Every structure is written in C-alpha cells, then in structure tokens.
Amino acid sequence: MAGPRVEVDGSIMEGGGQILRVSTALSCLLGLPLRVQKIRAGRSTPGLSSGAWQSKIKVLTGPQHLSGLEMIRDLCDGQLEGAEIGSTEITFTPEKIKGGIHTADTKTAGSVCLLMQVSMPCVLFAASSSELHLKGGTNAEMAPQIDYTVMVFKPIAEKFGFKFNCDIKTRGYYPKGGGEVIVRVSPVKQLNPINLTDRGYVTKIYGRAFVAGVLPFKVAKDMAAAAVRCIRKEIRDLYVNIQSVQEPKDQAFGNGNGIIIIAETSTGCLFAGSSLGKRGVNADKVGIEAAEMLLANLRHGGTVDEYLQDQLIVFMALANGVSRIKTGPVTLHAQTAIHFAEQIAKAKFIVKKSEDEEDASKDTYIIECQGIGMTNPNL
C-alpha cells in the first residue's frame, strides 16, 4: 500500500491546522505515508495544541488538531507518531479506509465542523457506510458553525454526487464544548466535477438567531432585528426572514448566542454571514457583524462565499473531470488547500481573474481544477 513518504512543511502559507487537515486527509485517501514538520511554526504557540487557549491575542485553532489526526488514523487503522501537545512534527502511515462507527471527541469547544471537514472526503472512499460521532463545539469561534455546515456546505458539496446526513444531538459552545453531532455517509465510486460559475440573483434571505443556557430570549430577537435593519439598507425588495430561537435545555450544553444569515440565489448559490456573541458584546453588534459579512460576500460577484472556497478544494481535486468555481478574492485557506492538493494529490489548479463583463469592476476569480478521478477501490 505505502508509496514514498510525502514531506510537508507545516509552517508555510496558512501555517496552522488547515495544513494538517488537508495533508492527512489526502495521505489517508491516496495511501501515501506522510511527514509534516514545523507544525504551526508561525503561531504564537508552536506545535500541536489541544486548544488550551494559551494565547488570547491569537486564538489557537487547536482543540480539533489532535482529535482530527486521531480520527483519520482510526478511519484507516493507520499509524500516527508525534501526535501530542506541543509536537512540531508528525508522521502518518495510512492503511485501508474502513466504514462503520467512528468517534472523535475534542474534550473542549474544539470544532466538530473541522472534524467533519477532515474526515468527510476519506469516508466517501471507505469500504462501507460510516457513522461519525463528533463531540466538541458546534458553534465555536474560528471555525464554521454547524448551521453553516448544514445550510450551506451540505447542499453545495452534495453537487459532487454524494449524500450525507447530519443529526445535531446537542449544541456546545465556548469554552466548555459538550456538543455532539452524528454524521452518516455512504461511500461513492467516484466524485463528479462541479461547475459553479453562474451566480444568478438573490431570491431569498433567511436565518437563525439563537440563545442557549442562561441568556435571555430578548438577545436573540435583538440580534435578528439589528441584522434585518442592516440588510435593509442595501437590499430593500426582499423579505428577510430570521427566526429567533431559544435552544431547548436538553439540546444545548452551556451558554451561548449567535446568528447565521443565508442568501440564496436563482441558480442555487448560497452565501452566509454569521457571528457569535461574546461576553460584553451587545446583541445588536453581533447581528450587524453577521449582516455585514453576508453583504460583503454578496458584493464580490462569486458563486461561493469566502468560507466555502477552501472547503471545496479537496473534493475538486478528487473529482473525475474539470471543476470550476467563481469566487471573490481567493482566501489564504483556499490557497493553502490548493497548494497541498497539487503537491500531494497531483491535481492541477488554475486560478485566474474572471473575464465576465459583469465582474469587470469586481475582484472576482475562477478557480479551475483538473481532478484526479479518484476511484473507490472497495466498490
């Protein structure tokens, strides 16, 4: 099974957890032994972090690092060395990807969405269906919220020709975590390429403002109202439907508040803006931050928002054919994912300025990928 070991420099570009996620997932999929060195060398605390929030200035993205690596190891009965807190180098030797039930627990508010990001491509090429039990933060800082994963990532990712089910058992917030999500995935023979280049026009705007634990319901209503006011300044002709939700006591662990707002277009594109409450930040500000993020993502002319860019790269690299997505400015996370998809999977990417007339005045790009046509050896 094992080919030559792939050597990855963990300090370049994004220089954090994303390099680990992309490189270990591709190593697992392609059966290539991997060594990642200089992990998080550019961060305030180098080395693997458990997410003991060592630095307030640079919030570490770390609760999910170790559990993500361990999950990939378990998915394929691989061998993992150097995976401990503070380690700056890991080696990973994958074996065959197997289905079944797999559990990953960050033990903190580490993001279950990042655990899903690292494991999803792998289980698509497993021998049988998988059930992933992911524990940690569902609505955590520095990572997609679970609502984003379900409302935006899922419908777009399924265009590659797979289906998954995401069951939110319990929501968990910073700093305690305690959330649990169960993801069910059936394997595929191959992934289809996608072509997301026609943005269409916005037809709907909707969302969800939530409070959990001891926070008063008024906070949810205030976030929603402030967000609606902000959006109305720019988009006057659409009804903005943001629901205010008090999370049921038995379905949420700890205290939290936040909001996600989605814009849907005539061609099925989805864009989001979201924000989480923090101690001492008033509700209006949280709502406005999410609204402004959504509006910014609607200005650039792309077909995906800035958070979806990098999440699609690995699927594009594996697909059987040419995929194209239109984006706003290409994020560092997307550039990092492209770099390692080229280095490890040998997919070919071209990033160029969009030549469409309506994009002339905007910062709009096309990311094109000739996928490797990965085939599931088990099916």
Side-chain angles (χ1 to χ4, degrees):
M1 171 113 193
R5 191 173 288 287
V6 176
E7 298 285 345
V8 162
D9 179 346
S11 68
I12 63 171
M13 303 180 85
E14 181 264 352
Q18 200 215 2
I19 295 177
L20 284 171
R21 285 194 295 282
V22 172
S23 57
T24 47
L26 290 171
S27 153
C28 170
L29 279 157
L30 299 161
L32 296 169
L34 173 76
R35 178 164 66 166
V36 185
Q37 294 173 288
K38 295 192 270 194
I39 293 169
R40 299 167 55 78
R43 298 297 173 103
S44 49
T45 311
L48 279 171
S49 83
S50 69
W53 303 77
Q54 297 99 321
S55 146
K56 279 283 175 258
I57 303 142
K58 225 179 230 181
V59 179
L60 296 181
T61 50
Q64 48 281 358
H65 289 168
L66 272 180
S67 34
L69 291 174
E70 287 162 357
M71 180 164 209
I72 294 286
R73 175 197 66 200
D74 297 344
L75 286 176
C76 69
D77 279 333
Q79 289 168 299
L80 179 62
E81 284 149 44
E84 52 264 337
I85 304 306
S87 167
T88 57
E89 178 175 323
I90 60 123
T91 58
F92 176 56
T93 310
E95 295 294 337
K96 189 176 155 176
I97 306 171
K98 57 187 203 299
I101 297 177
H102 300 280
T103 300
D105 187 350
T106 66
K107 310 275 199 302
T108 62
S111 167
V112 297
C113 302
L114 293 181
L115 289 175
M116 197 188 308
Q117 247 181 58
V118 68
S119 52
M120 181 72 74
C122 300
V123 293
L124 287 173
F125 291 90
S128 60
S129 295
S130 304
E131 191 172 290
L132 310 174
H133 292 237
L134 310 176
K135 298 176 184 179
T138 58
N139 299 77
E141 283 292 345
M142 309 295 290
Q145 296 191 45
I146 191 66
D147 307 271
Y148 183 91
T149 301
V150 172
M151 296 163 84
V152 178
F153 170 77
K154 181 181 190 294
I156 304 297
E158 286 181 343
K159 292 179 190 286
F160 286 102
F162 66 90
K163 287 264 186 278
F164 72 94
N165 175 276
C166 184
D167 183 6
I168 305 167
K169 290 281 180 219
T170 320
R171 289 170 178 270
Y173 313 98
Y174 177 80
K176 288 189 190 139
E180 182 179 8
V181 172
I182 298 175
V183 182
R184 295 179 183 88
V185 193
S186 296
V188 291
K189 183 71 185 165
Q190 272 193 322
L191 293 175
N192 306 325
I194 63 167
N195 186 22
L196 294 179
T197 50
D198 181 8
R199 187 223 190 104
Y201 53 91
V202 177
T203 54
K204 271 189 209 152
I205 299 178
Y206 51 91
R208 183 178 198 277
F210 71 85
V211 288
V214 299
L215 290 154
F217 186 56
K218 180 181 183 315
V219 169
K221 290 199 288 206
D222 288 351
M223 288 188 297
V228 170
R229 283 196 302 274
C230 183
I231 291 168
R232 285 253 166 83
K233 286 180 191 154
E234 266 188 53
I235 301 173
R236 294 182 185 83
D237 51 348
L238 281 178
Y239 175 62
V240 180
N241 180 17
I242 302 176
Q243 287 182 302
S244 301
V245 182
Q246 170 85 56
E247 303 290 8
K249 288 271 184 276
D250 58 342
Q251 288 166 33
F253 186 79
N255 308 311
N257 67 296
I259 181 170
I260 180 165
I261 318 162
I262 315 268
E264 193 174 312
T265 76
S266 54
T267 54
C269 298
L270 296 163
F271 301 83
S274 64
S275 183
L276 288 168
K278 295 175 206 56
R279 192 160 293 190
V281 176
N282 79 18
D284 285 26
K285 197 172 169 198
V286 180
I288 290 165
E289 184 177 63
E292 284 180 343
M293 185 189 292
L294 175 65
L295 292 169
N297 272 308
L298 289 173
R299 281 184 204 117
H300 58 55
T303 59
V304 297
D305 65 31
E306 60 189 306
Y307 302 100
L308 199 59
Q309 285 183 22
D310 64 285
Q311 295 184 54
L312 299 179
I313 298 299
V314 169
F315 298 101
M316 290 168 73
L318 298 171
N320 184 27
V322 177
S323 291
R324 284 183 197 87
I325 59 173
K326 190 188 275 196
T327 70
V330 181
T331 62
L332 180 58
H333 271 100
Q335 290 169 32
T336 303
I338 288 169
H339 176 88
F340 290 103
E342 291 191 316
Q343 183 195 338
I344 302 169
K346 305 290 186 251
K348 297 270 183 290
F349 282 85
I350 299 169
V351 179
K352 53 177 192 261
K353 201 103 169 56
S354 169
E355 286 158 14
D356 294 351
E357 274 171 39
E358 73 262 23
D359 301 327
S361 61
K362 298 179 179 144
D363 214 5
T364 312
Y365 297 84
I366 300 281
I367 301 176
E368 181 176 299
C369 173
Q370 174 66 57
I372 62 171
M374 172 92 186
T375 303
N376 190 331
N378 309 297
L379 292 188

